[in-house]
Amino acid sequence: DAGVTQSPTHLIKTRGQQVTLRCSPKSGHDTVSWYQQALGQGPQFIFQYYEEEERQRGNFPDRFSGHQFPNYSSELNVNALLLGDSALYLCASSLDRDPYGYTFGSGTRLTVV
Amino acid sequence: KQEVTQIPAALSVPEGENLVLNCSFTDSAIYNLQWFRQDPGKGLTSLLLIQSSQREQTSGRLNASLDKSSGRSTLYIAASQPGDSATYLCAVTTWSGGGADGLTFGKGTHLIIQP
C-alpha cells in the first residue's frame, strides 16, 4: 500500500518565478493538506483540500494556491517566488471524518535563489 | 489562535536513559494530539495519536499522555537508543465544519542520544 508520494524531491528556482509541487495521497485517503517547514521550525499549515475544493486555509498570501483532482491528488502552486519561500513543503493525506490522523510524504525541498 | 510550545528545544542524553519531552497548547478544545518524528531533511513519521477523550497511548518504548484541561502532553521514551536521535514534533488538531482542521505544530525537540 503506497503512502503519500511527493514530486519533485528537490527544486531550485529564481526569485519571481512560479513553481508547482505535486502530491499523491495514500490509497483510500480523500483529503490533502499542505505544510511549509522553514529550517529549524515546525511545519506551518498552508491549506487543505477536500472534494476538489479548498476547505481551510492558514495564514499564507494568495501567491499560494492549490488544486485537487478527481483522483484526490493535489498540486501546490506558488507565484512570484521570494527568497523566504525556501523551505521543505510537506503534503499530508487523511480520510475525512476519520479521527486517526494524517500520513505525511517525504516533502519537496524548494530553494529560491 | 492555537499555539503549541515544546520544551526543551534540544536535548542530549547518554544511551539507555529514560526521557520526557513536553508539549503545551493554549486552546484546550482540541480533537486530537499527535507526536511525530522527523529525521534530518525528511518527512514526518507518526508515532502516537491521542484522541481528546483518551489519557494516554503506548507503542513499544514510547508512551504519550494527554491532559487536555491543562493543555499539556508528554512523550516518554524508555531506554533510549542512538537510533532515537531525531526531532520530535507535537501537533494538535481541532474539529470544525464536519472535518478535522489543519495541524498546529510546535517547533520540535531536537534529541541526540549519545552512544
Side-chain angles (χ1 to χ4, degrees):
Chain A
D1 181 22
V4 177
T5 304
Q6 291 188 243
S7 63
T9 55
H10 296 84
L11 201 54
I12 299 175
K13 289 286 189 178
T14 304
R15 277 180 299 173
Q17 286 189 318
Q18 179 266 342
V19 67
T20 297
L21 310 182
R22 295 177 176 82
C23 173
S24 294
K26 180 179 178 179
S27 178
H29 283 182
D30 59 7
T31 302
V32 173
S33 305
W34 287 91
Y35 293 81
Q36 180 196 65
Q37 186 178 24
L39 200 61
Q41 302 294 313
Q44 297 288 317
F45 174 67
I46 302 175
F47 43 53
Q48 183 181 83
Y49 275 84
Y50 172 69
E51 292 188 339
E52 302 180 48
E53 292 190 357
E54 182 183 294
R55 179 165 67 180
Q56 191 185 25
R57 188 178 185 93
N59 189 26
F60 278 80
D62 292 345
R63 298 187 298 109
F64 289 78
S65 63
H67 189 78
Q68 186 179 34
F69 299 94
N71 66 353
Y72 307 119
S73 67
S74 177
E75 291 181 347
L76 164 65
N77 301 292
V78 187
N79 295 322
L81 285 167
L82 303 174
L83 295 179
D85 295 331
S86 295
L88 180 68
Y89 287 84
L90 295 164
C91 171
S93 73
S94 58
L95 181 63
D96 192 47
R97 296 177 176 81
D98 184 325
Y100 295 107
Y102 297 82
T103 301
F104 278 80
S106 298
T108 294
R109 172 69 64 185
L110 172 65
T111 301
V112 182
V113 298
Chain B
K1 176 187 172 186
Q2 178 76 269
E3 292 184 0
V4 178
T5 302
Q6 291 188 244
I7 295 173
L11 184 62
S12 180
V13 299
E15 179 179 4
E17 285 201 3
N18 302 324
L19 53 97
V20 174
L21 308 183
N22 296 292
C23 171
S24 63
F25 45 95
T26 55
D27 185 350
S28 62
I30 66 168
Y31 185 70
N32 60 40
L33 182 145
Q34 208 163 356
W35 283 92
F36 293 89
R37 169 187 172 136
Q38 186 174 33
D39 293 292
K42 303 296 184 183
L44 308 182
T45 300
S46 180
L47 299 173
L48 290 166
L49 181 146
I50 311 177
Q51 297 298 333
S52 60
S53 59
Q54 297 175 322
R55 300 279 302 181
E56 66 178 332
Q57 284 286 335
T58 298
S59 176
R61 295 182 293 107
L62 305 179
N63 175 274
S65 67
L66 173 64
D67 184 342
K68 198 174 80 163
S69 61
S70 67
R72 296 184 180 187
S73 176
T74 61
L75 178 65
Y76 176 82
I77 303 176
S80 58
Q81 303 171 357
D84 295 331
S85 298
T87 296
Y88 290 80
L89 291 157
C90 169
V92 299
T93 189
T94 53
W95 186 269
S96 64
D101 293 343
L103 292 163
T104 301
F105 283 87
K107 292 184 178 182
T109 293
H110 181 54
L111 176 64
I112 296 175
I113 307 299
Q114 306 157 9

